[in-house]
Amino acid sequence: MVNSKSIRLRVMQGDAIAFGPGKAALLLAIHQSGSISAAARAIGMSYRRAWLLVEAMNQCFQSPLVATATGGAKGGGAQVTPSGHEIIARYQAMQIKAEAAVAADMAYFDALMAAPDSPAAR
């Protein structure tokens, strides 16, 4: 059986989620598209939600993770800052370490959990 279960690592700052899987996906999409709105569309998120997540990330860290440019003759845009790239890399490394640390426990859970499409899982 393939391990279909996963853990989701979140970095908290007080009650706020400073960084987690959704914010990592958003930063990667911003890096690829150069735009918050295009990134939001690419990952199936509303522009407003994406903007709120960018604001929250930028407030939680000492330096912004996303730099934005207001529209104009050349148009607006957004780019992931060097700090943002470092946070993505560190988060991905933390996720790998966390998954390795709990691999045996996850295998135990996986063996005991019902398949997602089985009647017992509903």
Side-chain angles (χ1 to χ4, degrees), residues 34-117:
S35 161
I36 294 173
S37 60
R41 282 191 302 275
I43 62 173
M45 181 182 290
S46 74
Y47 172 76
R48 174 155 171 73
R49 176 78 175 136
W51 181 253
L52 290 173
L53 291 179
V54 166
E55 279 188 329
M57 284 186 282
N58 283 348
Q59 289 174 2
C60 285
F61 290 90
Q62 291 179 5
S63 60
L65 305 189
V66 176
T68 59
T70 307
K74 294 183 179 180
Q79 65 180 20
V80 178
T81 65
S83 295
H85 285 291
E86 180 64 22
I87 292 296
I88 293 169
R90 293 283 178 131
Y91 177 79
Q92 289 172 333
M94 288 169 54
Q95 185 70 34
I96 290 166
K97 289 176 191 174
E99 288 171 357
V102 299
D105 295 315
M106 289 301 290
Y108 176 80
F109 272 81
D110 196 42
L112 296 177
M113 295 177 86
D117 58 348

